């Protein structure tokens, strides 16, 4: 388990790096009790988070607020996409607010507030993901959003946020074409957890060697069902489909 966040970290070793048996042997006995305690702690953390996430979900369902959890690696374009998205929602008179998660700084919340939309910044410090308790507490600083949308931008990280329910209706994975086609296979948990995948920075495709068909094949190996939309957060390309998906989710919640 990652001692910072409680995420799972059960290693599998590449053959070349495998530690010979003799070296492991001396540690096995000490490790076992500790391993059980670590597993118990991990289960407690996740159970506590799930309880809080269910509470957040129930509360916001009562207000007909759609909650989305945006996840991705750092710099894939979550905030740029959010700025463009909340501007469009605001123009359509849909109540909207944003919770921003980063280890440090308020940069992203300031970018959202510049559009006139309320935003709360959570700094996780050493933490590598948001948890449901942080979202719950941030809700107290935001207006109610009846028949509206709450966007949560998670910490840029393709690993830990996959395991933490924040009370969202869906995780929206922003996968940028600058990251390489192989990410779905390298980080399968996150790609599996996604209810929608936005393939972002498509305006850069003419300048990159990124193979969209190959990336789609890898995505489908780990997630056969989630819709995949090609977008550009900077040009607005593909936003009709993204906004249509949002409207559909709003209606369903
Ligand atoms: N060309 C291009 N650049 C983009 C696009 N979307 C975002 N960018 C650029 O990518 C960089 C990172 O964008 P952000 O929106 O800050 O990314 P982020 O995912 O919020 O980053 P973190 O919050 O740090 O994880 C910025 O320089 C953006 O201008 C896009 O669709 N096309
Ligand atoms: Mg951001």
């Amino acid at each position: 388990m990652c001692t910072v966040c409680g995420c799972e970290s059960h290693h599998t070793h590449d053959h070349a790096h495998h530690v010979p048996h003799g070296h492991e042997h001396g540690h096995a006995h000490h490790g076992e009790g500790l391993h059980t305690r670590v597993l118990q702690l991990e289960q407690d953390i996740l159970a506590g988070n799930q309880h809080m996430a269910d509470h957040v979900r129930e509360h916001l369902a009562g207000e007909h607020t759609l909650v989305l959890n945006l996840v991705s690696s750092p710099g894939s374009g979550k905030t740029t996409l959010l700025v463009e998205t909340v501007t469009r929602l605001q123009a359509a008179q849909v109540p909207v607010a944003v919770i921003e998660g980063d280890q440090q700084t308020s940069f992203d919340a300031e970018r959202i507030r510049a559009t006139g939309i309320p935003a709360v910044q959570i700094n996780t410090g050493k933490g590598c993901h948001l948890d449901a308790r942080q979202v719950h507490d941030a809700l107290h600083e935001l207006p109610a959003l009846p028949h509206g949308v709450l966007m949560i931008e998670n910490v840029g990280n393709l690993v830990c946020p996959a395991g933490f329910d924040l009370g969202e209706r869906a995780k929206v994975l922003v996968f940028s074409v600058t990251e390489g086609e192989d990410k779905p296979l390298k980080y399968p948990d996150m790609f599996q957890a996604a209810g929608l995948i936005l393939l972002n920075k498509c305006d850069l495709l003419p300048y990159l060697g990124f193979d969209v068909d190959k990336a789609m094949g890898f995505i489908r190996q780990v997630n056969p069902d989630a819709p995949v939309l090609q977008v550009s957060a900077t040009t607005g390309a593909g936003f009709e489909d993204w906004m249509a998906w949002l409207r559909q989710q709003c209606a369903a919640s």
Side-chain angles (χ1 to χ4, degrees):
M1 187 182 74
C2 159
T3 51
V4 173
C5 76
C7 72
E8 292 190 36
S9 65
H10 305 294
H11 306 274
T12 52
H13 290 280
D14 176 37
H15 224 65
H17 297 111
H18 197 78
V19 183
H21 267 329
H23 291 256
E24 295 175 326
H25 193 70
H27 305 292
H29 305 296
H30 300 298
E32 241 161 77
L34 179 64
H35 186 64
T36 309
R37 279 167 54 204
V38 165
L39 278 178
Q40 186 58 50
L41 181 62
E42 181 180 334
Q43 281 168 12
D44 290 350
I45 289 170
L46 288 174
N49 185 72
Q50 192 58 55
H51 180 72
M52 186 53 73
D54 290 341
H55 171 63
V56 168
R57 184 174 286 107
E58 195 178 327
H59 173 70
L60 291 173
E63 297 184 347
H64 302 281
T65 303
L66 170 65
V67 186
L68 297 175
N69 179 1
L70 267 80
V71 291
S72 82
S73 41
S76 67
K78 297 179 296 301
T79 311
T80 308
L81 185 108
L82 278 179
V83 165
E84 185 63 28
T85 305
V86 300
T87 303
R88 289 172 187 233
L89 289 172
Q90 193 180 33
Q93 305 202 315
V94 177
V96 57
V98 176
I99 294 175
E100 283 289 348
D102 284 296
Q103 283 199 315
Q104 297 292 348
T105 84
S106 297
F107 294 164
D108 284 0
E110 285 158 20
R111 287 167 68 187
I112 300 294
R113 284 189 208 116
T115 68
I117 294 295
V120 174
Q121 180 78 50
I122 297 171
N123 284 140
T124 57
K126 300 284 181 204
C128 41
H129 63 275
L130 290 175
D131 64 37
R133 159 73 62 186
Q134 291 168 322
V135 170
H136 173 269
D137 293 352
L139 284 176
H140 293 296
E141 295 175 48
L142 290 171
L145 305 164
H147 301 277
V149 183
L150 174 68
M151 299 282 198
I152 304 169
E153 178 179 336
N154 219 315
V155 179
N157 174 354
L158 276 180
V159 185
C160 310
F164 285 79
D165 187 354
L166 302 181
E168 71 269 4
R169 178 172 176 83
K171 286 185 173 70
V172 175
L173 172 53
V174 182
F175 173 27
S176 147
V177 295
T178 54
E179 295 168 36
E181 302 91 343
D182 55 3
K183 295 304 168 288
L185 299 187
K186 287 183 173 174
Y187 303 96
D189 289 350
M190 187 63 93
F191 279 81
Q192 232 158 40
L196 174 72
I197 296 168
L198 296 175
L199 190 61
N200 191 33
K201 307 197 187 182
C202 282
D203 58 299
L204 297 179
L205 280 173
Y207 315 104
L208 302 170
F210 188 89
D211 182 336
V212 174
D213 291 339
K214 191 170 167 188
M216 281 303 298
F218 289 158
I219 289 172
R220 288 304 174 225
Q221 280 186 43
V222 297
N223 187 331
D225 300 321
V228 180
L229 304 179
Q230 295 188 29
V231 301
S232 166
T234 48
T235 69
F239 265 61
E240 304 74 24
D241 292 340
W242 159 230
M243 298 307 289
W245 184 89
L246 270 178
R247 277 196 298 276
Q248 214 176 54
Q249 298 299 311
C250 272
S253 59

